[in-house]
Amino acid sequence: MKVDKRLEAMRLNPRADWTLADLQTVAARYRVVWRHGGGSHAVFRSPTGMQLVVPARRPIKPVYVSRFVELIDDAKEAQFPSG
């Protein structure tokens, strides 16, 4: 699945069985840095400094997927300002 389509699918269906790898793939496309040293959580940070800590267990809860989409939207706005 293409990254843009994956992001849109996350936006439309945060309850799907999303994995940490899915989030990391989308994050890389939008220059969101992430770290996961094998612990129980992964940390995503947008270029604006917005941060999200996501539990690494599967499936990722919908609230974290929704917040991740918001973080990506923030990163996209920073990279490609509208107006």
Side-chain angles (χ1 to χ4, degrees), residues 18-71:
W18 299 109
T19 65
L20 193 55
D22 292 322
L23 273 58
Q24 291 167 341
T25 300
V26 173
R29 163 68 172 86
Y30 294 103
R31 296 188 183 114
V32 169
V33 295
W34 57 271
R35 62 182 165 81
H36 178 237
S40 62
H41 291 75
V43 180
F44 295 87
R45 184 183 307 266
S46 80
T48 64
M50 185 176 176
Q51 179 175 304
L52 176 65
V53 179
V54 178
R57 52 184 118 66
R58 187 175 169 177
I60 295 174
K61 292 184 179 181
V63 65
Y64 293 108
V65 176
S66 296
R67 289 180 184 166
F68 178 77
V69 169
E70 290 174 14
L71 182 128

